[in-house]
Amino acid sequence: MTHQFTVSTQAHTRMIDITERVQAVVRESGVSSGVAHVFVPHTTAGITINEDADPSVVADILASLERAVPDDAAYRHSEGNSPAHVKASLMGFCQTVFIDAGKLVLGTWQGIYLCEFDGPRTRRVIVKIQPDAE
Ligand code: ZN
């Protein structure tokens, strides 16, 4: 089963916690045991899993990416958004999360984030729910 939802990112660079949206897809699927693949079909947005308790962690991740991939470096891509492409590749475009008892299996402090690097835009998130074989 494949489901999708959209996220309005509302800033040039932002990490948006989509854990509850993905959990809602799992709930609606009725699958109690399996895996959820969470994918973004974009080249300047990514998906990652990290701490959702202290917002300073997200701020530090974004600041670190900024230092690693500065806006003012020399890039070839004529569209002018190469830093966004590079950061999206560093984060990756897909995460797989196990489902147990109808819930995403995440650590106490973990959340699933859509990472926007070239917003604001409306982004699509595709979730494939794969039940365990009977
Ligand atoms: Zn581009």
Side-chain angles (χ1 to χ4, degrees), residues 77 79 81 85:
H77 177 46
E79 205 184 12
N81 60 352
H85 288 291

Side-chain angles (χ1 to χ4, degrees), residues 26 30-36 98-103 129-134:
V26 171
V31 170
S32 66
S33 184
V35 294
F98 303 141
I99 300 164
D100 187 49
K103 292 201 161 141
I129 307 286
Q130 198 171 7
D132 287 346
E134 292 301 311

Side-chain angles (χ1 to χ4, degrees), residues 1 3-7 16-31 35-40 47-49 94-99 102-106 111-114 124-130:
M1 292 163 269
H3 310 259
Q4 70 174 37
F5 57 84
T6 59
V7 179
I16 297 150
D17 191 337
I18 59 167
T19 312
E20 287 310 314
R21 306 274 312 264
V22 178
Q23 181 59 60
V25 169
V26 171
R27 197 164 36 243
E28 284 157 24
S29 76
V31 170
V35 294
H37 302 284
V38 187
F39 176 75
V40 282
I47 290 274
T48 195
I49 295 174
C94 190
Q95 291 286 335
T96 296
V97 183
F98 303 141
I99 300 164
K103 292 201 161 141
L104 294 167
V105 179
L106 290 165
I112 306 168
Y113 287 92
L114 169 72
R124 284 199 299 145
V125 178
I126 301 172
V127 183
K128 175 96 175 169
I129 307 286
Q130 198 171 7

Side-chain angles (χ1 to χ4, degrees), residues 43-44 77-82 84-85 118 121:
T43 61
T44 56
H77 177 46
S78 62
E79 205 184 12
N81 60 352
S82 282
H85 288 291
D118 198 22
R121 294 187 190 214

